[in-house]
Each structure stands twice: as structure tokens, then as C-alpha cells.
Amino acid sequence: MAKATDAWSHLGLVFCLAFLLPLGPARVAAGLYNLSLTTDAPATMGTEVTISASLVVKDNSSLPLPVDTHLYRFHWIHTPLTLTAKTEKNLTSTIRVVGSAPGDFAVSVWVTAVDCWMCKPLARSSLVVPIKESLVGNLVITQNTSVTWPNAYITKRSLRLAFLLHDPSDFFKSATFFYRWDFGDGTLSITDNPVVYYNYSSAGTFTAKVRVVAEWEQIKPDAGKGILQRTGDFSASLRLREMLQGMQVLGPTLMQTFQKLTMTMNFFGSPPLHVCWGLKPECLPLEDRECHPVLVTQTSFNLTHIFQDPGDYCFTFRAENAISKTHQYHRVQVWPSSFQPFVFAFPCATLITVLLVFTMYMTVRNATNQKDESPEATGLKCCCQVCCGSLFLDSPSEYLEIVRENHGLLPPLYKPVKTYNV
């Protein structure tokens, strides 16, 4: 009897081990996997939404995926969304659900072993499915021009505005669509085509809008045929820029050293502009290290410069905006500063002072010959005429008059004989 009891005990232990053997990996691997979820939501009411869950290994884990996929099961909670289809293949489960009311609905999923409801899940995850009453889609604006700034386009060139409906289940394949376009500059248009072309004539920031209306016929069990309608409003912001077609440089081409040069640059394009300028002996393109960058927020810019050395110079300007770039050159010839008469005023005044002092000294020394014109005085007048004549004489007649006054009468050829009375 004891042997029979021991046999049944061993047999029960074998069955338990056989039952728990396939569940071992699930217990060991619990927490080492993730569920990757994907969906094509958001969607309009009545359209099908597809949600897929795939079992993947967590990051930094070397554990391989289970080989026998039949040992695991996916469990979904999607209420109040209505389930329309479910498939499982290669550790991936996909469901299709439909929403009958607008809102954000949570969907959860987890994976367990097939025959172990009490075991800890290998992985679990969740997401939110948006169901909208309106249409779902995007307004896409394109132009056959490469622009570096986001949402930036070129004026006076055709823009393509297209509405892309999001309908992965082809729910609206039998619907009729109408589109009301508002281009943001006062222009409106109504079409039955989801694509339109438009040219903006001026630069600026605009908001393009489109109202989409979808209508289709549906047979209702209790009311017969009826017309159903869905609408949606969509918009996109765009910035229109003018191409930088060129620039004009206004300024003198002939200067003197130490004079202030002022130049005005007029740009034929939309700001903001990145302007780079440099000064070189020849008109050659600038390298980056020779560039003086300036940010210009208007269509004109003033630049001042002072030349300290004479010579031939060339200003090089390079400007670019979000669409295009241009460059321009401006030659300037710099001459030395001209000599002015006042440069000699101080030396002449000093020389005159010295000669006057010398003349007074000689006059006092030769008091007996006061009527005779001293050579020093003559030299003084001559020097004054040479050094300062150009400063004080207005006409040749004045000069001749001074010369005439400075030359005294010629002395007599003979001296009178003295007579004595007895």
C-alpha cells in the first residue's frame, strides 16, 4: 500500500513538471520584452482603425525572442470601440476597430502564456486612439523651388496647394467632395478638385485655408436612403519671399584721405538679408575670413568708411536671403589730401616777426640814416610778398601798387656843394 502511494506521488510530480515546463520561459522572461504599438489613427467616425502590437526584446537585452509563437497569446481591451477583425502572426497581433462617437479612447494589450492565466505577462502596452467627427487630412503646399527656410516660398511663382484625405479603409471612396479655398490675401475659390495652383503677387506671411465637405448616400434600415455629410477645416502657414534679384551701391568713386565715405546699398529682394562686405585692392570675391557680416532687416543699408592711405580700392558686397544670393563691386580712388594756403601762415608769421625785430634793431643802431631804406626792410617786404602775398592780395593791381610803394626814389647823382657866407 505504501508503494502504491509513493508511485502515485511520483506520477503526480511528473505531471506537474510536464505542465509547468512550457511556462518556465514565460516566468523567467517576464519584464524582458516590450510591445511595440502602431496605428493609423486618428480617424473619422465610422471608419476602421488598424492597431498592431509586436513583441520585441527590450534594449540592452541579449534574450532571444521565443521560437514557438503558439505558446503565447495577445489580450486586447478596446471597449467602447467595436472590433471588426483580429489576426495574429509571428508574435504580432493586429486588430481593426470602429468608433461610433468622437473622443479619445484608450486601447490596452498584453501577452501571456497560452495555458497560464495566472502567470505574469511578458509585456504590456497601451495607446490612445483619437476618433473625430470631422474629416481627417492635411493641407500640403509645395513649390518647384528649393528654399532653406521652413514654410518659405517665392512670390510670383506657382504654388501647389493639395488636400490629402486620411482614409486608410477607403470609407469615403463613394463620397463627393467640395473644397472652399481661402488663400489669405482676400482671394476665395470653390472647386471639386483637392489640388489648386495659386500665385502670390506680394511678399509676406499668409495663412491658406480650405474647408472640405464630403457627401455620400447611405441606405438606412428604418428610413431608406439618406445623405450623410462630413466636413473639415484645414490650414497651413506660409511665408512669401522675393528673390534677391540684385543690389545697387550708391557712393562717390573719388575720395581724399581722412574723408568719410558714405555708401548706400539698395537691395531688390525680401529681408532679412545676410550681408557681407570687404575691402581689397582689386575686385575679387571675398573669402570668409575677409568678410564683415551684417544682418539687414530692411531693403537698404548705409556703410561708412575712412581711408587713411591713398590708392585704388574695391568694395565687395555679398548678400543673400532665404531664396537666393547676389554680389556687387564698387571701385573707389583715394588721393592724398590737397595742400591748403593756411599751411604756410604760421611759418610766414614767425619769419615776419623775426625780421621786424631785426629791422627795429638796425633802425635804432643807424639812427643817423633814417631816410635811407634799410636792406632788412626791403628783405622783409620781399619775404612778405613771397610768403604771404597769395593770402592777402586779391588782384594783380594791388600787387603792383605795393611794389610801387616799396621802391623809393633814386638817390641824386651828385651831392650839393656846401656854401659858406663870410
Side-chain angles (χ1 to χ4, degrees):
M1 191 69 179
K3 291 182 179 180
T5 305
D6 293 338
W8 282 107
S9 300
H10 287 294
L11 184 60
L13 180 60
V14 171
F15 276 110
C16 289
L17 292 176
F19 178 78
L20 296 176
L21 184 60
L23 304 182
R27 289 194 181 97
V28 175
L32 299 179
Y33 295 99
N34 278 337
L35 277 176
S36 175
L37 298 183
T38 59
T39 181
D40 55 10
T44 309
M45 288 188 314
T47 63
E48 286 187 331
V49 177
T50 301
I51 308 172
S52 295
S54 298
L55 187 66
V56 296
V57 178
K58 277 189 175 181
D59 296 339
N60 302 324
S61 176
S62 60
L63 185 69
L65 287 173
V67 178
D68 191 354
T69 59
H70 299 286
L71 298 177
Y72 303 93
R73 176 179 295 175
F74 289 81
H75 306 273
W76 292 88
I77 295 181
H78 48 74
T79 306
L81 301 177
T82 303
L83 180 67
T84 59
K86 179 180 179 181
T87 58
E88 292 186 8
K89 183 179 180 180
N90 298 331
L91 296 177
T92 298
S93 179
T94 302
I95 62 172
R96 297 174 71 86
V97 293
V98 175
S100 58
D104 296 330
F105 303 96
V107 176
S108 301
V109 59
W110 66 93
V111 180
T112 65
V114 173
D115 298 325
C116 186
W117 296 95
M118 303 300 294
C119 295
K120 186 177 181 180
L122 271 72
R124 65 170 63 246
S125 186
S126 63
L127 54 73
V128 175
V129 178
I131 302 297
K132 298 181 179 296
E133 186 176 4
S134 62
L135 296 173
V136 178
N138 291 298
L139 178 59
V140 180
I141 302 176
T142 57
Q143 191 176 51
N144 294 329
T145 304
S146 177
V147 181
T148 57
W149 285 15
N151 300 329
Y153 306 91
I154 303 176
T155 58
K156 303 177 183 177
R157 290 196 178 184
S158 180
L159 278 172
R160 183 179 185 271
L161 293 84
F163 171 72
L164 303 180
L165 177 67
H166 181 68
D167 183 23
S169 62
D170 292 332
F171 181 80
F172 297 100
K173 61 182 178 180
S174 61
T176 302
F177 289 86
F178 301 95
Y179 306 88
R180 183 180 182 272
W181 302 90
D182 182 357
F183 299 101
D185 60 350
T187 305
L188 303 176
S189 177
I190 298 177
T191 67
D192 58 357
N193 195 322
V195 179
V196 295
Y197 294 88
Y198 188 72
N199 290 335
Y200 286 87
S201 59
S202 60
T205 301
F206 302 91
T207 300
K209 301 177 182 179
V210 59
R211 183 176 182 84
V212 185
V213 180
E215 294 182 350
W216 70 97
E217 187 179 70
Q218 188 179 44
I219 299 177
K220 298 181 180 180
D222 54 347
K225 293 182 179 180
I227 301 298
L228 298 182
Q229 187 182 87
R230 290 285 188 271
T231 61
D233 295 308
F234 308 89
S235 63
S237 179
L238 64 161
R239 291 180 290 179
L240 274 297
R241 299 283 187 252
E242 291 181 346
M243 293 187 63
L244 191 57
Q245 300 177 353
M247 57 186 299
Q248 181 187 38
V249 181
L250 302 176
T253 58
L254 185 63
M255 294 291 296
Q256 292 184 351
T257 55
F258 301 103
Q259 275 188 318
K260 179 186 290 187
L261 170 68
T262 301
M263 291 181 296
T264 301
M265 286 163 283
N266 297 320
F267 303 98
F268 304 103
S270 296
L273 303 168
H274 295 277
V275 180
C276 173
W277 69 273
L279 187 61
K280 303 180 71 173
E282 299 179 357
C283 293
L284 297 174
L286 292 175
E287 299 180 3
D288 293 338
R289 58 183 178 84
E290 300 173 328
C291 176
H292 302 280
V294 179
L295 180 61
V296 179
T297 58
Q298 299 179 351
T299 56
S300 63
F301 173 70
N302 291 332
L303 177 66
T304 59
H305 187 76
I306 297 178
F307 293 96
Q308 298 183 357
D309 300 317
D312 294 332
Y313 298 92
C314 182
F315 282 95
T316 302
F317 300 96
R318 186 177 67 209
E320 61 180 314
N321 61 4
I323 303 172
S324 57
K325 63 176 63 177
T326 185
H327 66 276
Q328 185 63 272
Y329 300 102
H330 184 74
R331 292 181 177 272
V332 178
Q333 193 174 24
V334 181
W335 291 87
S337 299
S338 59
F339 295 99
Q340 302 296 334
F342 69 84
V343 176
F344 298 97
F346 181 76
C348 282
T350 304
L351 181 60
I352 292 173
T353 303
V354 173
L355 291 177
L356 285 175
V357 173
F358 180 75
T359 302
M360 292 177 62
Y361 170 75
M362 294 301 296
T363 302
V364 173
R365 184 177 178 181
N366 302 309
T368 55
N369 298 326
Q370 292 181 0
K371 292 183 180 182
D372 295 338
E373 184 178 358
S374 65
E376 292 78 4
T378 303
L380 173 62
K381 294 178 181 180
C382 180
C383 177
C384 182
Q385 294 169 5
V386 173
C387 297
C388 310
S390 61
L391 294 175
F392 305 104
L393 301 185
D394 296 330
S395 64
S397 59
E398 296 182 4
Y399 172 75
L400 295 176
E401 185 66 24
I402 292 176
V403 171
R404 202 177 289 117
E405 291 178 359
N406 289 339
H407 286 74
L409 298 177
L410 294 175
L413 298 177
Y414 62 92
K415 292 183 179 182
V417 178
K418 294 182 179 181
T419 57
Y420 299 91
N421 291 328
V422 178

